[in-house]
Every structure is written in C-alpha cells, then in structure tokens.
Amino acid sequence: MSEQKKTKGKLKLNKVTKNDLITYLMVVIAYVIVEILLKTGNLSSLLQGLLVPLCTYVILAVSLNLTVGILGELSLGHAGFMCIGAFSSALFSLGLKDSIANEGLRFFIAILVAAASAALCGILVGIPVLRLKGDYLAIVTLAFGEIIKNIINAIYLGVDSHGIHISMTDTMSLGLEPDGKVLIKGAQGITGTPHDSNFTIGVVLILLSLIIINNLVHSRTGRAVMSIRDNRIAAESVGINITKYKMIAFTISASLAGVAGALYSHNLSTLTALPKNFGYNMSIMILVFVVLGGIGNMRGSVIAAVILTLLPELLRGLNNYRMLIYAIVLIAMMLFNWSPRTVAWKEKMAEKLKRTKKEEV
C-alpha cells in the first residue's frame, strides 16, 4: 500500500511539473516565432510596438490571478501597484542615468526597486484591506488605485546639490538651483526615461513570474492559501495563520505588478498617470484577462492576455466591425470557460482521455 501511495505521489508530481513545463514551452515557442518574424521583416511596425505592452499585460494577468484565482479575493487595485512600480523604477533610472552607465545593470536594479516599492505598498494596503471580503475588498482596492494615480499627478519632484525637493503646487515652488533637475512634473509625469525595455526582457520576466507563481502554488504556502480560499473556517481550525498567508499571496501579486510597471515605463519616452494607463479601466481589463482565461489557470491568463490585446489591433482593417467582433470573441471565450454544458463536456473528454491512457498502459 505504501509503495502504491509513493507511486501515485510521483505520478501526480510529474503531471504537475509536466503541465508547468508545457506553459513555459508555449511562451518560449511564441518568442521564437516572433523573433523569426522580426528577423525576416514579416512583422508590422504596429505589432512590433505592441510586443512590450503585451508582455506587461501577461505579467499583470498572471499576477492578478494569484490574488483572484489562488487566494480567492477580488482586487481592483492592480493598476495602482503597476503605477507605483512604473514611477519608482522610472524615477530611479532617470535619477541615476549618469551614475550607472551600464544599461543592463541599471534596468535590473530598477526592476528590483519597482518590485520592492510595490511589495511595500502591498503590505501597507493589505494589513487593513485583507480583513475585508468580497465587494468591500474590491471597492477599497479600487479606491487605492485611484488615490495612487491622483497623488502622482499632484507631485512635483526635483533634485539638486542640496538633495530632493518635493512640492504639490508647481515646478517653481521646488526652489531648485540653476543646475537642478526636475524629475516628476505633476500631471506631465516623467520624461526622458531610458528605453531599456525590449521583447526579450519581457519574455524573461514572464517566465520568471510564471515560475515564481507556479512554485508558490505547488508549495506548502500555496496549499495553505488555497485552503483559505476553499474554506476559511476549516483552515483556521487546523491552525493556519489566515492573515500571514493572505499577506504573502497579496504582496507577491503586488510585487509582480510592480515589475510589469517597470517594464512598461522603460518602453515610453513620457510616463504619465493617465486613467487609460493606470486607472479603473486598466484594472478591469486585467481582471477580464483573468476571468476569460480561467480563474486559477495561469496558462489561460497568458493566452487570454495575448488574444485580447492583439485582437483589436489585428481587426483595425475592419473598422466598422472591429469592436463587434471583439465583443463576440469575449462572449465566446466566456461561454467556453464557464458554461455548465461546456464544463461538463470538458470533464467528460478529460475522463475519456484518462481511460484511453490507462488502456494503453
């Protein structure tokens, strides 16, 4: 009996590992295909411009899926964490542009700064917010995202030989020396951020995000988080520290959103905290990727983010019908993932596949 249990455990582990490897392989194959298209000149300039934002949205989707799918909490403040990561990393790169000549090293440190600042905000927000549930949690995280965006739009920040100067009025109020530099110009944002992002770095960050999340999910911590999602009272009754594990998942999710923000900000000449970039609509769009890809399904989040980002651009030739087709695809994906009949059909097909494999063995 013990040998059979060990064999089953090994098979289960192999199945999980195999599933994760398929996801990583899928990302690598997509990268190779895109690189071939780039080298041969078969990719339009429009699609080339979408490659880095596409990587950003994929990281945001899988990181939010950690909160929504694995932790089971509805968060609408993900754009806020992305905004923190974007501005903190851009500020670091711009401030130390002359001090750190090596672009790769500077961008690597900027990513760490973005991850750390977003994680810190995740902890500060999570301590009071994670005590709430359902709609209340969604409303508070939504408010957090809007507050962050509005605060950044109101800040003027400069630096000179006397140090850092901050004002909430205008650049003249900073009182900088003649050789001083204005870094954040209120609603005008940050200009002159180094263009350190590229598609290759984006794919590497996607793979790292997937590895971090998948390892977390399959670890003891991940099982504790999922037990809280499935039955909070039962998890608490067996001694699981609810607050601790919820904070871990929420902070890692926020940190990865900050990394996505760093990738996004280093692809733009001017970074501004606009509603379309870091507002409510961005948080909803990321949530749509998660829901349509399948809650808790990381591979589905990757596919949904890619399809729903590329689709509006690929349909630009059909200007009159572009949004109609986009809406139809959204409905079709929703039905495929969540319709009871479709779910039952997928389960039936999975059982048939298992039987076929057993018969072959």
Side-chain angles (χ1 to χ4, degrees):
M1 284 293 287
S2 59
E3 287 180 7
Q4 284 180 352
K5 284 181 180 178
K6 284 180 183 178
T7 309
K8 282 182 182 178
K10 286 178 182 178
L11 287 170
K12 191 177 181 182
L13 182 66
N14 290 336
K15 186 180 177 182
V16 167
T17 308
K18 186 180 176 182
N19 192 42
D20 291 345
L21 287 173
I22 289 168
T23 306
Y24 307 146
L25 188 63
M26 182 186 74
V27 174
V28 172
I29 290 169
Y31 169 72
V32 171
I33 291 168
V34 171
E35 281 296 315
I36 291 168
L37 291 173
L38 282 169
K39 300 292 183 191
T40 55
N42 291 320
L43 206 65
S44 66
S45 56
L46 178 68
L47 290 177
Q48 285 180 37
L50 277 174
L51 291 177
V52 174
L54 189 66
C55 294
T56 303
Y57 296 145
V58 169
I59 296 168
L60 287 168
V62 295
S63 61
L64 183 60
N65 209 345
L66 178 59
T67 301
V68 177
I70 308 303
L71 181 58
E73 298 289 359
L74 180 59
S75 172
L76 294 177
H78 221 53
F81 296 119
M82 177 192 175
C83 185
I84 289 163
F87 275 86
S88 60
S89 62
L91 196 62
F92 173 84
S93 294
L94 190 60
L96 297 177
K97 194 175 181 180
D98 300 325
S99 303
I100 304 174
N102 189 313
E103 293 179 1
L105 177 63
R106 186 180 60 224
F107 187 44
F108 174 72
I109 299 171
I111 289 170
L112 294 180
V113 168
S117 57
L120 180 62
C121 287
I123 293 167
L124 293 174
V125 172
I127 290 168
V129 163
L130 290 175
R131 297 175 187 277
L132 303 171
K133 297 178 187 177
D135 297 342
Y136 300 105
L137 177 64
I139 291 165
V140 174
T141 51
L142 173 62
F144 158 75
E146 293 300 307
I147 289 165
I148 289 295
K149 177 173 63 67
N150 290 322
I151 287 173
I152 288 173
N153 279 329
I155 288 177
Y156 294 84
L157 188 145
V159 63
D160 58 17
S161 59
H162 293 293
I164 296 169
H165 300 257
I166 300 174
S167 172
M168 303 293 281
T169 312
D170 52 36
T171 52
M172 296 300 293
S173 303
L174 291 171
L176 294 172
E177 294 178 345
D179 60 340
K181 186 194 289 185
V182 180
L183 299 178
I184 302 179
K185 304 171 185 176
Q188 294 178 355
I190 298 176
T191 55
T193 307
H195 281 256
D196 295 331
S197 292
N198 58 51
F199 181 56
T200 302
I201 292 171
V203 170
V204 170
L205 290 175
I206 287 171
L207 289 170
L208 283 173
S209 300
L210 286 168
I211 289 166
I212 290 166
I213 292 170
N214 284 332
N215 282 331
L216 175 70
V217 170
H218 303 320
S219 69
R220 182 182 175 183
T221 301
R223 289 192 292 272
V225 170
M226 286 186 284
S227 70
I228 294 166
R229 176 198 65 190
D230 294 336
N231 195 321
R232 182 192 174 98
I233 296 168
E236 201 167 11
S237 68
V238 295
I240 292 173
N241 190 327
I242 304 293
T243 306
K244 174 188 167 183
Y245 287 108
K246 286 179 81 171
M247 280 296 298
I248 289 170
F250 191 74
T251 304
I252 291 171
S253 177
S255 179
L256 292 175
V259 170
L263 185 67
Y264 181 79
S265 64
H266 285 73
N267 189 49
L268 300 171
S269 300
T270 303
L271 179 67
T272 54
L274 297 173
K276 68 174 183 179
N277 295 342
F278 304 111
Y280 168 73
N281 288 334
M282 173 61 82
S283 291
I284 292 297
M285 186 179 75
I286 302 162
L287 185 62
V288 167
F289 295 156
V290 172
V291 173
L292 293 182
I295 292 174
N297 185 346
M298 298 303 161
R299 192 189 306 165
S301 292
V302 174
I303 294 167
V306 171
I307 291 173
L308 296 180
T309 303
L310 291 179
L311 197 64
E313 302 304 326
L314 295 173
L315 295 173
R316 278 196 182 276
L318 303 166
N319 240 357
N320 296 328
Y321 306 102
R322 184 164 62 99
M323 294 314 293
L324 174 64
I325 295 169
Y326 183 71
I328 290 169
V329 170
L330 282 176
I331 293 166
M333 286 183 72
M334 182 66 82
L335 288 172
F336 181 75
N337 281 319
W338 300 106
S339 169
R341 287 187 180 182
T342 312
V343 170
W345 176 79
K346 284 193 283 187
E347 287 175 357
K348 191 177 178 182
M349 292 303 293
E351 284 177 11
K352 280 186 179 179
L353 197 64
K354 283 179 184 177
R355 285 175 191 168
T356 308
K357 283 183 180 178
K358 283 180 181 178
E359 286 172 5
E360 286 175 0
V361 172

